[in-house]
Amino acid sequence: MNKDIASTIKGNILLVDDTPDNLHLLSNLLSAQGYKVRCVTNGQTALKAARAKLPDLILLDIMMPHMNGYEVCQILKSDTQTRDVPVIFLSALDEVLDKVKAFSVGGVDYITKPFQFQEVLIRVENQLALKTAETKVRQLNAELEIKVKERTSELEVTNQELQREIAERKLLEKQLLHMALHDPLTGLPNRALFMERLKQAVIRAKQQPEYQFSVLFLDCDRFKIVNDSLGHLVGDELLTAIASRLKLSLSPVDTLARLGGDEFTLLLEEIKDITSVTQIAERILWELSRPFYLDKREVFITASIGIVLGNATYDQPEHLLRDADTAMYRAKASGKARYHVFNPAMHQEALQLLQLETDLRRAIERQEFVVYYQPIVSLCEGKISGFEALVRWQHPTRGFVSPAEFIPVAEETGLITFIGTWVMREACQQLRIWQEQKLSEESLTMSVNLSVREFSQPNLIELIDDTLKKTQLSPQSLKLEITESAIMEKDGSVTAILQQLRNRQIQLSIDDFGTGYSSLSYLNRLPVDTLKIDRSFINPIDKNSESLGLVPAIITIAHSLGMSAIAEGVETQQQLAKLRTLNCGFGQGYLFSKPLGSKLAADLLAAAPQY
């Protein structure tokens, strides 16, 4: 009975991730496919588990406390017992430097979160197939040596059998080599083969000054939408079709490779100049602009292309790929469906962003953040009705870092969830202190911003409940500010989340209203209390009577839906007067006060100013 069960196990996998949800999801999915899965939540336990019972494959998260995935992999590869176990990294980090580091410490593959299970399954199957093939080759070699010794006396008879087995071994080695160097879906060269050819190009450029080459990094702009809406089979068909079209723009000496997902790289050799390269990029963009016919559907897709010219100053092929990737992201940020040529300044910007991310992670550990508070004023009463909590970063060497500089990086890396949770706890605690000091009435509210990342947390409601419980702040005193983009990205689940917040009597506000999607159809369905009018609409209204723009309309919309309106960026008495004429309920801006530290905000409350 046990023997039958063991025979059905496709492989033993050690899954290492400090996020229980990821462990549970991957473990269930892999187990359902016939794999035996062991789960651990940190690096030390992973090392013990691997040595106790050698797995066939390790799926390893990078960002873990105490010991990250890179360190775990290095230790595994330095141990003769575990060094041959293949390691696939799983990470939310998607920068090319992170990927390069993953391969440099001994990883065999790299999967970016959020991952698609079909991609994870294919890569797991490929690595286990490679390991099985390698074992088979070693087995055949050992068997051949034994047979040669045993059958010396039967040389003529044995020779024919040996020739057959040698041919089988060569065929297997050829198949193994092909598997190791080619993408199983498209048949294109994979990262390993591409990097080897790129290495040869770098060497040739140093030896032959007249030789020129270029690297193109291509990323599809809408592939995830196609893959999610039409399914993975259609997505795979699309990737194969894209590969076929890309080949049309290349010469026989060029190399087209698939790095993984919807990323392709091209090595163009024997080029004349940058113009010849950009012409190829333009031709590729044109080829991809034509519709694809998949599963009886017409599908359109675009791509962003980064271009880097190779020259003798490059020593490492990884640096060329890094720079092409950097240029690709610039093309994507510029509007997608275009190409961008790399220049050295872009690399310096990337290094600065990387340093900023490193400093940001240290800032969380060292608690370098400070919460400032900007008053929100009731325009009809002229009194402070609440505060908005705004995070500030006191960098140890740079001083205060602008939120406009570090918030986008925090959003992209996911660090915003840690920062946001801390800001909410600090702000709620501060308001509770003011209430206990009798500096404010119970009706005073504290507004806290929720980013797209924070709003997408599966445990958002639990985090808010825990914060209110620990700070002993009444839910009615908390107001959450959510952008239109956050609401739209959550799609159909947003109403349920907002309703849970409304049931707790937590107030809800849509921030920067009018700058995003602004659909009245969704606005009418959502349990929202307040619309915040973006400062870009407030700035012009003190110039002339015709510059009111959309402000009256937004205020009317708010009132018709039973909501209040808050005007952001109020800076002049003229703006204040017009907002009062328009019956705007609340205002916020430098006319009343700039954001203040907790002590100055308390002093302002105690002064009870009349505006």
Side-chain angles (χ1 to χ4, degrees):
M1 179 69 176
N2 291 336
K3 184 177 180 181
D4 293 339
I5 293 174
S7 66
T8 63
I9 296 174
K10 296 166 65 175
N12 292 287
I13 298 176
L14 178 59
L15 180 56
V16 187
D17 197 313
D18 64 333
T19 304
D21 287 344
N22 289 347
L23 286 176
H24 181 71
L25 174 62
L26 274 177
S27 177
N28 286 348
L29 293 174
L30 289 170
S31 296
Q33 295 294 322
Y35 295 101
K36 184 175 181 181
V37 182
R38 290 182 291 159
C39 299
V40 297
T41 58
N42 59 69
Q44 289 288 358
T45 308
L47 293 173
K48 292 179 181 178
R51 290 163 181 160
K53 184 176 181 181
L54 206 63
D56 296 315
L57 178 68
I58 297 175
L59 296 180
L60 179 59
D61 185 31
I62 292 179
M63 300 307 297
M64 297 185 295
H66 308 304
M67 180 183 293
N68 63 39
Y70 296 138
E71 296 169 325
V72 174
C73 188
Q74 285 178 317
I75 294 173
L76 288 169
K77 295 304 175 182
S78 65
D79 190 337
T80 56
Q81 181 184 357
T82 58
R83 66 186 180 190
D84 293 330
V85 179
V87 176
I88 298 179
F89 282 100
L90 303 172
S91 177
L93 304 174
D94 196 32
E95 295 294 332
V96 68
L97 289 178
D98 298 310
K99 299 177 183 178
V100 169
K101 184 173 181 180
F103 287 101
S104 68
V105 298
V108 298
D109 208 342
Y110 189 107
I111 302 175
T112 303
K113 298 178 182 177
F115 48 74
Q116 297 293 334
F117 176 65
Q118 190 65 28
E119 180 186 359
V120 174
L121 183 58
I122 289 174
R123 296 197 184 197
V124 167
E125 290 175 347
N126 285 343
Q127 290 303 327
L128 289 177
L130 282 172
K131 186 176 180 182
T132 300
E134 290 170 352
T135 303
K136 179 65 175 176
V137 169
R138 289 195 296 269
Q139 210 170 28
L140 284 171
N141 286 335
E143 291 173 0
L144 282 173
E145 291 178 4
I146 294 172
K147 288 179 181 179
V148 168
K149 293 178 181 178
E150 291 178 345
R151 300 182 183 179
T152 303
S153 61
E154 303 173 2
L155 186 56
E156 292 184 1
V157 177
T158 305
N159 186 60
Q160 186 176 1
E161 179 65 18
L162 285 176
Q163 291 300 323
R164 184 190 67 78
E165 292 184 3
I166 290 172
E168 180 184 344
R169 184 184 69 180
K170 288 183 177 179
L171 178 61
L172 186 59
E173 289 177 343
K174 183 178 180 181
Q175 292 172 343
L176 177 60
L177 183 62
H178 188 274
M179 289 175 62
L181 299 177
H182 290 80
D183 171 48
L185 176 64
T186 62
L188 295 176
N190 62 9
R191 177 188 295 272
L193 181 53
F194 182 82
M195 296 305 290
E196 179 58 33
R197 293 184 180 175
L198 185 54
K199 179 181 177 181
Q200 297 304 316
V202 170
I203 294 173
R204 184 180 172 188
K206 290 184 178 296
Q207 296 173 343
Q208 304 174 16
E210 72 281 2
Y211 168 71
Q212 285 188 297
F213 68 98
S214 179
V215 175
L216 277 62
F217 196 115
L218 183 148
D219 183 89
C220 299
D221 296 323
R222 299 179 62 254
F223 178 75
K224 188 176 186 301
I225 297 175
V226 175
N227 207 40
D228 290 348
S229 58
L230 301 182
H232 299 300
L233 293 178
V234 175
D236 288 348
E237 187 180 349
L238 176 58
L239 289 172
T240 303
I242 290 172
S244 297
R245 288 202 188 171
L246 291 176
K247 291 177 184 177
L248 299 176
S249 302
L250 304 181
S251 69
V253 298
D254 298 330
T255 300
L256 168 64
R258 180 184 176 223
L259 295 192
D262 58 344
E263 294 179 340
F264 295 86
T265 50
L266 299 90
L267 171 59
L268 307 182
E269 302 197 59
E270 305 293 353
I271 63 171
K272 297 180 181 178
D273 49 33
I274 185 61
T275 301
S276 64
V277 177
T278 57
Q279 287 173 348
I280 292 174
E282 289 170 355
R283 188 158 66 247
I284 288 173
L285 292 175
W286 181 85
E287 286 287 352
L288 295 181
S289 69
R290 296 186 292 113
F292 292 87
Y293 296 95
L294 309 170
D295 193 29
K296 300 180 181 179
R297 294 175 182 269
E298 190 177 51
V299 176
F300 289 88
I301 197 166
T302 58
S304 298
I305 302 174
I307 300 173
V308 62
L309 286 177
N311 54 65
T313 62
Y314 281 100
D315 295 316
Q316 300 295 329
E318 291 84 359
H319 294 170
L320 279 152
L321 193 62
R322 173 201 67 195
D323 292 346
D325 187 41
T326 300
M328 181 275 294
Y329 275 107
R330 183 63 59 88
K332 198 174 284 288
S334 300
K336 304 178 181 179
R338 64 191 64 201
Y339 64 83
H340 197 94
V341 180
F342 175 82
N343 65 69
M346 293 166 59
H347 178 52
Q348 292 303 316
E349 292 173 9
L351 290 176
Q352 290 171 4
L353 281 176
L354 183 61
Q355 184 60 52
L356 183 62
E357 179 187 344
T358 301
D359 290 350
L360 201 54
R361 294 182 186 278
R362 289 175 180 165
I364 294 174
E365 296 173 1
R366 299 172 181 174
Q367 298 181 347
E368 295 172 359
F369 295 102
V370 181
V371 179
Y372 273 47
Y373 304 91
Q374 186 171 34
I376 298 172
V377 174
S378 169
L379 299 189
C380 61
E381 297 179 355
K383 297 180 180 179
I384 295 175
S385 64
F387 283 88
E388 180 180 359
L390 301 167
V391 65
R392 296 291 184 263
W393 178 11
Q394 178 67 55
H395 193 282
T397 58
R398 297 176 57 188
F400 276 108
V401 180
S402 168
E405 183 178 355
F406 74 83
I407 291 296
V409 177
E411 283 272 11
E412 184 178 349
T413 58
L415 296 175
I416 192 67
T417 57
F418 298 99
I419 298 172
T421 300
W422 178 83
V423 169
M424 182 180 296
R425 187 180 299 115
E426 286 291 307
C428 290
Q429 183 65 49
Q430 185 61 70
L431 180 55
R432 184 61 187 149
I433 291 172
W434 289 340
Q435 290 175 346
E436 291 174 349
Q437 293 173 343
K438 307 299 182 183
L439 293 179
S440 70
E441 300 176 0
E442 290 293 328
S443 60
L444 192 75
T445 61
M446 181 63 72
S447 296
V448 178
N449 292 282
L450 279 185
S451 68
V452 175
R453 281 282 191 122
E454 292 175 273
F455 196 57
S456 300
Q457 294 178 99
N459 62 336
L460 174 64
I461 300 298
E462 288 80 2
L463 285 173
I464 294 173
D465 286 343
D466 183 64
T467 298
L468 293 173
K469 181 180 179 181
K470 288 181 177 178
T471 60
Q472 297 184 337
L473 184 70
S474 169
Q476 296 95 323
S477 299
L478 177 61
K479 178 177 286 189
L480 299 178
E481 297 192 2
I482 307 165
T483 62
E484 291 177 272
S485 58
I487 291 174
M488 296 303 290
E489 284 196 20
K490 288 296 288 182
D491 198 24
S493 61
V494 65
T495 304
I497 296 174
L498 295 182
Q499 192 58 56
Q500 289 183 69
L501 296 172
R502 169 60 67 84
N503 293 342
R504 288 162 170 76
Q505 296 184 307
I506 296 171
Q507 299 184 57
L508 302 170
S509 174
I510 296 182
D511 198 13
D512 301 333
F513 183 78
T515 62
Y517 299 93
S518 303
S519 170
L520 294 181
S521 61
Y522 83 76
L523 192 61
N524 191 40
R525 298 193 307 267
L526 300 178
V528 175
D529 302 282
T530 306
L531 298 183
K532 292 196 77 172
I533 308 171
D534 187 70
R535 65 181 66 248
S536 62
F537 297 115
I538 303 301
N539 288 339
I541 68 173
D542 61 350
K543 297 177 181 177
N544 56 66
S545 59
E546 298 179 357
S547 62
L548 295 178
L550 293 176
V551 175
I554 296 175
I555 295 172
T556 300
I557 289 171
H559 291 168
S560 66
L561 295 176
M563 305 175 187
S564 60
I566 299 178
E568 292 185 290
V570 181
E571 297 182 354
T572 68
Q573 289 292 341
Q574 292 88 340
Q575 291 171 345
L576 176 60
K578 286 190 177 181
L579 289 169
R580 279 176 166 153
T581 301
L582 294 171
N583 199 25
C584 181
F586 302 89
Q588 178 180 355
Y590 276 32
L591 177 64
F592 308 117
S593 173
K594 65 180 182 180
L596 303 169
S598 57
K599 185 180 184 308
L600 291 178
D603 293 342
L604 183 65
L605 265 179
Q610 185 72 35
Y611 298 100

